[in-house]
Amino acid sequence: MTRVLRHVSLPVAALCVVVACSPLGAQNDAAQAAVNAAFNKYKTLKEGKNADYIPALAKVDPNLFGIVLVTTAGKVYTAGDLTTEVSIQSISKVFTMAQVIQEQGVESIEKRIGVDATGARFNSIIAIEAVRNVVGSGAPEMNALVNPGAISATSMVTGANADAVWGKIIGIHNDFAGRPLKVLQDVYKSESDSNQRNQAIGALMFAYGYIKTNWQQAVDLYTRQCSIGVNAKDLATMAATLAAMGRNPVTGKQVMDAAKIPPVLAVMATAGLYDDSGKWLYHTGLPAKSGVGGGIIAVSPGKFGIAVVSPPLDDAGNSVRAQKAIADISNALKGNPLASATQ
Ligand code: GLN
């Protein structure tokens, strides 16, 4: 009896925390409902195919499907597989670019690599030739989210030797994820044995002056960063840290200067889904990045980060289920930043 009376005398705010009756509680319900709805809608979808040009990726379970949304207040909503790690692949390009921007400023990436979409596939060699042929533009028309620009960005991370550079690359990934991440050695070995195309890209970028240092080291470190193991929760926390302007909402650590986040998001918006970036932006308005390991992260600035892991890819190299699930969830939660004036 005394206990009941004590409960009744709780302040309204405290009661709301217990029974989720506050406006925030209602929003939370909507986020979980949107995540559940997308999971149930797409869990049996079988479109797409695992990447197989890196042999280890062909062996990953295509049924793996996990969705995580993390708000800028650090609330976490989940469905499906949250713990199985896949290789981060091209999503790492965002964080290595962020490292360069953090230590060398926003202009560093713009001047050396450029911040324009190539309109070509992520490992296009013709795109390198096209950049070289643009005379007098002042900066290359490339970006750090396709392989040539990404290998160049990796080469820009400073350090006395490969270990020192790697320490910074893994360090920024750990900070964004909020936990120490590890390289998936089987993926690293498999990609190292089969990355002759990326070696050719590194050599060309060096030959044309877009890589100024040891290009072999840059390709190796790039391959290693692509092999970092992440689960859906890690990726969503990384996306939410971008959404919260560099403050990891789970750990509370400011991992990058807030003012340097919008340029990172801008490159994601223009080039994050390779040659399908325009289509993606047209429908969602969300800065995003995909990887051939099957992950996609997307950022609703000031609101939430979201990640989906599902290995089967479409022809452009983007996870089929991840694109559909993220678009649905963001639409349900009014996450499109380009539509904010109408919401
Ligand atoms: N490591 C992969 C590669 O270099 C990354 C590509 C991707 O995720 N799109 O081909």
Side-chain angles (χ1 to χ4, degrees), residues 79-165:
D81 189 319
L82 316 175
T83 53
T84 302
E85 291 184 0
V86 295
S87 51
I88 189 169
Q89 294 298 337
S90 280
I91 301 171
S92 67
K93 292 167 176 167
V94 171
F95 302 98
T96 299
M97 171 176 71
Q99 174 64 32
V100 175
I101 288 177
Q102 176 63 19
E103 68 177 32
Q104 294 165 43
V106 166
E107 311 72 31
S108 59
I109 287 283
E110 186 178 6
K111 290 207 174 107
R112 176 79 65 82
I113 299 168
V115 292
D116 281 305
T118 62
R121 282 187 70 76
F122 61 84
N123 58 2
S124 169
I125 286 173
I126 290 173
I128 304 175
E129 296 299 325
V131 163
R132 195 181 175 218
N133 290 335
V134 175
V135 178
S137 72
E141 296 203 336
M142 169 74 69
N143 64 77
L145 300 183
V146 289
N147 292 15
I151 295 167
S152 176
T154 301
S155 81
M156 291 172 74
V157 178
T158 57
N161 52 42
D163 284 348
V165 175

Side-chain angles (χ1 to χ4, degrees), residues 54-275:
I54 300 168
L57 300 187
K59 296 190 201 136
V60 177
D61 179 4
N63 297 314
L64 177 63
F65 187 30
I67 305 178
V68 180
L69 182 147
V70 178
T71 70
T72 51
K75 301 257 180 209
V76 181
Y77 303 95
T78 69
D81 189 319
L82 316 175
T83 53
T84 302
E85 291 184 0
V86 295
S87 51
I88 189 169
Q89 294 298 337
S90 280
I91 301 171
S92 67
K93 292 167 176 167
V94 171
F95 302 98
T96 299
M97 171 176 71
Q99 174 64 32
V100 175
I101 288 177
Q102 176 63 19
E103 68 177 32
Q104 294 165 43
V106 166
E107 311 72 31
S108 59
I109 287 283
E110 186 178 6
K111 290 207 174 107
R112 176 79 65 82
I113 299 168
V115 292
D116 281 305
T118 62
R121 282 187 70 76
F122 61 84
N123 58 2
S124 169
I125 286 173
I126 290 173
I128 304 175
E129 296 299 325
V131 163
R132 195 181 175 218
N133 290 335
V134 175
V135 178
S137 72
E141 296 203 336
M142 169 74 69
N143 64 77
L145 300 183
V146 289
N147 292 15
I151 295 167
S152 176
T154 301
S155 81
M156 291 172 74
V157 178
T158 57
N161 52 42
D163 284 348
V165 175
W166 176 249
K168 285 187 183 171
I169 292 173
I170 190 74
I172 194 157
H173 285 77
N174 292 344
D175 277 351
F176 271 86
R179 75 169 181 118
L181 302 169
K182 290 201 192 73
V183 167
L184 299 177
Q185 291 299 334
D186 59 327
V187 177
Y188 177 46
K189 173 152 194 340
S190 177
E191 186 162 349
S192 298
D193 289 346
S194 57
N195 71 351
Q196 289 76 21
R197 187 181 179 106
N198 281 339
Q199 292 179 46
I201 287 172
L204 271 181
M205 291 296 277
F206 179 80
Y208 298 165
Y210 302 120
I211 292 180
K212 307 269 185 217
T213 55
N214 179 337
W215 65 265
Q216 290 95 337
Q217 174 178 301
V219 173
D220 178 52
L221 290 175
Y222 164 81
T223 306
R224 227 194 285 182
Q225 80 182 42
C226 288
S227 309
I228 293 172
V230 283
N231 58 38
K233 165 102 193 295
D234 296 323
L235 289 173
T237 308
M238 296 168 105
T241 303
L242 291 166
M245 295 297 121
R247 181 179 178 276
N248 184 319
V250 176
T251 64
K253 182 173 172 185
Q254 187 74 37
V255 305
M256 184 168 173
D257 298 345
K260 290 174 174 161
I261 297 287
V264 172
L265 296 177
V267 185
M268 291 170 72
T270 49
L273 264 65
Y274 317 123
D275 41 325

Side-chain angles (χ1 to χ4, degrees), residues 282-317:
Y282 194 80
H283 290 288
T284 67
L286 298 178
K289 184 73 202 88
S290 60
V292 290
I296 297 185
I297 62 171
V299 179
S300 181
K303 294 185 174 171
F304 60 80
I306 184 167
V308 175
V309 170
S310 170
L313 311 177
D314 65 13
D315 289 344

